[in-house]
Amino acid sequence: MAEEKAEEKVALQDSKVERSRRALEPMPHLRAQVVRGFGRGSKLLGFPTANMNVRWDFMETPEKLTPEERDVLDFARSCEPGIYYGWAQVSNGADSGVYKTAMSVGWNPTFPDVKAEDFYDCELRLIVCGFVRPEAKFADFKDLIVAIREDGDFCRETLETAELAAIAKDLFFVSKEAEVA
């Protein structure tokens, strides 16, 4: 499990949600197949999303999983539910670029029925750089949308620091040129 570094509290002007920059060390490198969620991301919330396949069905026998599947399960089981910042790539999709990401890990308390359309069955690669805030339930849907936008802005700005921007070039991410060679 990744250890947490010092936390830097950051307030966004007029925000109802407190955020921080808490770096993870080491930074988890996760790979998993993209699976269907509830279809809320782009359609309802207005933000593209991709759901990683977490093999909850192997919680009692994780030794039967591939190392990559075990890494995803271990991270999902042991991390604090909430918002994280990092870098993402759909390695075998039409666009294999590496992009800044705000990622939500948890049970989506605003939508009680929780258990990327363009990315289904592709492999998603993530380097999780740090933690932003705990998971929260929003009574007003508009507040949820505002918080998601603010989370995205916060993560984008955080990942623009020289140290974190360099992670986008990590060898963990596959390049099309390397696949051809």
Side-chain angles (χ1 to χ4, degrees):
M1 177 61 214
E3 294 181 23
E4 296 172 0
K5 286 185 174 179
E7 182 173 332
E8 173 192 353
K9 297 243 186 228
V10 180
L12 294 180
Q13 189 175 9
D14 300 326
S15 180
K16 295 179 181 180
V17 179
E18 184 177 314
R19 292 171 178 81
S20 64
R21 292 182 180 102
R22 188 183 334 149
L24 301 181
E25 192 59 49
M27 294 177 190
H29 289 53
L30 306 174
R31 295 169 55 174
Q33 179 184 28
V34 177
V35 295
R36 290 190 183 279
F38 284 91
R40 292 190 190 105
S42 293
K43 293 175 187 138
L44 184 62
L45 300 175
F47 304 97
T49 62
N51 298 292
M52 293 186 93
N53 186 21
V54 180
R55 297 302 309 265
W56 295 109
D57 53 328
F58 282 88
M59 272 186 26
E60 301 302 319
T61 56
E63 66 279 357
K64 293 183 178 181
L65 297 172
T66 67
E68 292 83 9
E69 290 171 324
R70 197 168 34 253
D71 289 346
V72 171
L73 177 62
D74 289 346
F75 180 76
R77 286 171 53 178
S78 61
C79 73
E80 179 179 356
I83 307 301
Y84 290 79
Y85 56 92
W87 292 94
Q89 176 193 48
V90 179
S91 63
N92 58 345
D95 176 359
S96 63
V98 178
Y99 297 97
K100 298 171 188 166
T101 188
M103 102 186 226
S104 175
V105 179
W107 307 107
N108 299 326
T110 301
F111 296 103
D113 60 349
V114 164
K115 171 183 158 166
E117 200 162 338
D118 295 337
F119 311 129
Y120 294 144
D121 298 322
C122 290
E123 179 184 80
L124 180 64
R125 293 180 181 218
L126 290 169
I127 296 180
V128 186
C129 300
F131 180 79
V132 174
R133 67 170 177 85
E135 191 171 46
K137 182 173 182 166
F138 295 89
D140 184 358
F141 186 72
K142 291 176 188 170
D143 289 341
L144 170 64
I145 297 299
V146 168
I148 291 172
R149 283 199 178 106
E150 289 176 349
D151 289 338
D153 292 343
F154 184 86
C155 293
R156 187 177 308 108
E157 180 183 308
T158 298
L159 292 163
E160 287 174 358
T161 64
E163 177 185 358
L164 293 175
I167 294 168
K169 304 216 183 304
D170 191 285
L171 294 177
F172 176 70
F173 296 118
V174 177
S175 71
K176 291 291 183 187
E177 296 78 28
E179 289 178 359
V180 175

